[in-house]
Amino acid sequence: MRLNAGLLKLIELIRTSFWFIPLIMVVSSIVMAVVLAWLDAYAEAIIPNWLNFVYQTEASTIRSLLNTVAGSMITVTSIAFSITIVTLTLASTQFGPRLVRTFMMDRGTQVVLGTFISNFTYCIALVYVMSLEYYQESTLGLAILWCLAATFVSVCVLIYFIHHVAKAIQADTVINDVYCELVKSLNKLVSNSNSNSNSNSNSNSNSNSNSNSNSTVKHDTSALEEDATLQLGMNEIEIHANRSGYIQFVDVNAMFETAKRLSLHIEVPFGPGDFIVENTTILKVNSCSESDLEISDSGLADKLRTNIIVGSKRTPLQDPKFAIHQLVEVALRALSTGVNDPYTALTCVDKLSASLCSLCTKQLPDGRLIDDKGILRVVFKTPSFTGLGEAAFDQIRQSSIETAAVIIRLLDALYRIAEHTKTEEQKSFVLSQTKIIKESINHDDFAHSDLQAIKQRINLILA
């Protein structure tokens, strides 16, 4: 099932929030308190005899226990929040402010905070229930057992949280988390292209047997003899942005369905990650006749504009460069004179090279959606291998041109990528980066052995 742009943005907001999972757990704890108190009220008819021992505690003892647990939980919650804020501060200082998002989407931290708050809420809800006239003559049993079990779980969760935080702030863990997000973003990027290509090939194989089959999205434009805009005509309207910000998501499939239904040709000059200002042309719509646009013009602009989500910050929904820039930012901070941690930079280079090697074997979308009649319907901006590679290596290369260890690791990474290259673009990128390094190094900045190691790797790539 394909999700629309607004729903995907909401899911991204929920994933990077500290409130959603704790809120669900708090609501669940209140419901649990009410249900267990109701069961305790009808204990004689529902509860088996072997559980009668849980109803032998006096009401005053139960209230004292609940108050103690509630006070302890709110204290532990404040400590957990303090530790979380300290962790976010350290992450922002050491790895960069954009890495705070990675920590906020950590599911373990969200569950820990939710556990403490929900246990506190559960105790408060039980204290209130016990004050109701309906429950004055009943004794809580199952509800107290659940409270004791939840308290024991909270103690275990506190131990886990301390371990988890100590592990989460390690550089290798942060880098690996960002790398996993980068791999996921790249896989999403190429999966759309592969799935559409598969549907295209299947539709071509069945076109003779089923002439009334549904239209499919095609990416192979080699069979087109002329530009689709010439087939559709040049009656064009421009749709402008109603706010400034970063493009977070572009729903090209929804645009394709609209273009196919209204016989339109849509051009999207900006892609995810690009910054636009208000009143910038974000869509160009061509139609074969004036009537087509005049009939739908009143609602067409608003409908198409909703397919482009603009926000105040970049997200990795459709923007693999966002995750690349996060790794690059970690590397650049590690190479700064204030930090001087080349090992972290070397790890970032290794992760970036691994993602580019994996990308060599995959097909990036070409930015064109064609219907089953061979008519180009949507043209949109897509990232290229060269663009992704330059985003990964350029700034690190520029900042480490006098650091032999990083230059050698960059050359090793380029050699690994060269072994996986499949296209001329990929080979050209490797050769271009290697030549830039060769031209940029200053022989006086390196020892003879380091210079020999650099030259050896350059010659190996250029051979």
Side-chain angles (χ1 to χ4, degrees):
M1 182 179 65
R2 181 171 59 85
L3 302 178
N4 60 37
L7 185 57
L8 285 174
K9 183 179 181 181
L10 178 61
I11 293 174
E12 174 68 14
L13 176 64
I14 291 174
R15 288 178 62 237
T16 58
S17 67
F18 277 152
W19 56 265
F20 182 75
I21 290 181
L23 178 61
I24 295 298
M25 297 179 71
V26 165
V27 174
S28 300
S29 68
I30 296 175
V31 173
M32 183 63 69
V34 173
V35 171
L36 291 179
W38 180 84
L39 290 176
D40 287 331
Y42 295 92
E44 295 182 359
I46 300 177
I47 304 302
N49 294 332
W50 61 273
L51 278 178
N52 288 335
F53 72 94
V54 302
Y55 296 96
Q56 298 177 5
T57 307
E58 296 180 356
S60 60
T61 304
I62 293 177
R63 286 192 179 91
S64 177
L65 176 63
L66 292 175
N67 291 330
T68 302
V69 173
S72 301
M73 284 300 102
I74 198 63
T75 301
V76 173
T77 301
S78 63
I79 294 175
F81 271 104
S82 299
I83 295 175
T84 302
I85 296 301
V86 171
T87 303
L88 295 178
T89 303
L90 290 174
S92 177
T93 303
Q94 183 175 356
F95 303 112
R98 278 156 289 278
L99 267 296
V100 172
R101 175 189 170 277
T102 303
F103 286 86
M104 291 188 64
M105 67 182 296
D106 183 80
R107 191 61 54 84
T109 302
Q110 296 173 3
V111 171
V112 167
L113 297 177
T115 300
F116 295 149
I117 297 176
S118 62
N119 200 7
F120 167 77
T121 307
Y122 177 82
C123 295
I124 297 299
L126 280 185
V127 171
Y128 173 75
V129 168
M130 291 184 65
S131 66
L132 299 178
E133 182 178 357
Y134 182 78
Y135 292 95
Q136 289 293 328
E137 298 181 359
S138 62
T139 303
L140 298 181
L142 293 178
I144 296 303
L145 279 182
W146 183 270
C147 176
L148 295 176
T151 303
F152 175 76
V153 170
S154 298
V155 173
C156 297
V157 166
L158 177 61
I159 298 173
Y160 159 78
F161 180 62
I162 296 174
H163 166 78
H164 180 71
V165 170
K167 182 180 178 181
I169 61 176
Q170 296 178 15
D172 290 339
T173 302
V174 175
I175 293 172
N176 187 68
D177 290 342
V178 179
Y179 167 71
C180 292
E181 187 175 47
L182 171 59
V183 171
K184 187 183 299 184
S185 180
L186 291 175
N187 288 338
K188 287 182 180 179
L189 180 66
V190 300
S191 64
N192 293 332
S193 175
N194 292 336
S195 62
N196 290 330
S197 298
N198 291 335
S199 65
N200 176 32
S201 60
N202 292 335
S203 64
N204 288 337
S205 62
N206 297 329
S207 58
N208 295 331
S209 59
N210 185 10
S211 59
N212 295 325
S213 61
N214 294 331
S215 300
T216 57
V217 180
K218 303 180 182 180
H219 283 279
D220 184 9
T221 60
S222 59
L224 292 179
E225 296 181 357
E226 57 183 352
D227 191 279
T229 55
L230 299 179
Q231 301 176 25
L232 290 171
M234 294 304 294
N235 175 33
E236 179 180 279
I237 64 171
E238 294 183 349
I239 300 177
H240 302 91
N242 52 15
R243 59 172 297 188
S244 300
Y246 291 97
I247 294 181
Q248 297 177 339
F249 186 83
V250 180
D251 194 348
V252 293
N253 290 318
M255 292 184 190
F256 174 76
E257 295 298 329
T258 302
K260 186 173 58 175
R261 178 168 50 85
L262 300 177
S263 297
L264 305 175
H265 168 65
I266 302 174
E267 298 181 20
V268 189
F270 298 99
D274 291 339
F275 183 81
I276 59 173
V277 297
E278 188 177 0
N279 295 324
T280 299
T281 301
I282 57 174
L283 289 172
K284 296 180 180 180
V285 183
N286 294 314
S287 177
C288 57
S289 66
E290 274 188 41
S291 59
D292 286 339
L293 284 181
E294 287 178 354
I295 293 174
S296 58
D297 185 43
S298 58
L300 179 63
D302 293 335
K303 181 177 181 179
L304 291 177
R305 192 182 288 112
T306 59
N307 295 324
I308 299 180
I309 300 298
V310 180
S312 59
K313 57 186 178 181
R314 297 175 65 176
T315 66
L317 286 176
Q318 289 183 330
D319 184 14
K321 283 187 179 181
F322 177 79
I324 291 178
H325 289 160
Q326 285 185 314
L327 282 175
V328 171
E329 182 175 4
V330 174
L332 295 180
R333 285 179 174 267
L335 291 173
S336 64
T337 55
V339 179
N340 193 20
D341 181 17
Y343 292 103
T344 297
L346 297 180
T347 304
C348 292
V349 172
D350 291 338
K351 296 296 185 179
L352 290 169
S353 66
S355 61
L356 290 177
C357 288
S358 176
L359 193 61
C360 286
T361 61
K362 300 174 181 178
Q363 179 184 359
L364 292 172
D366 66 354
R368 298 186 178 188
L369 300 184
I370 307 167
D371 62 15
D372 56 348
K373 299 178 181 179
I375 300 177
L376 182 62
R377 293 301 182 186
V378 180
V379 178
F380 58 99
K381 184 179 179 181
T382 60
S384 63
F385 182 88
T386 300
L388 295 175
E390 290 176 348
F393 282 169
D394 279 355
Q395 292 189 65
I396 297 178
R397 186 195 68 246
Q398 295 163 3
S399 299
S400 62
I401 201 62
E402 297 180 358
T403 308
V406 180
I407 290 295
I408 292 175
R409 188 61 63 90
L410 282 173
L411 292 171
D412 289 338
L414 290 171
Y415 182 75
R416 283 195 298 268
I417 297 172
E419 293 179 325
H420 291 80
T421 55
K422 303 295 183 182
T423 65
E424 290 299 324
E425 180 192 9
Q426 296 167 0
K427 296 177 182 179
S428 176
F429 163 76
V430 173
L431 294 177
S432 175
Q433 289 290 320
T434 305
K435 291 177 180 178
I436 293 175
I437 293 177
K438 182 179 180 181
E439 296 172 356
S440 301
I441 59 174
N442 187 349
H443 294 192
D444 296 333
D445 294 333
F446 301 101
H448 178 73
S449 58
D450 294 336
L451 193 59
Q452 288 298 114
I454 293 174
K455 288 183 177 181
Q456 181 182 1
R457 286 165 172 78
I458 291 176
N459 294 334
L460 189 62
I461 297 174
L462 297 180

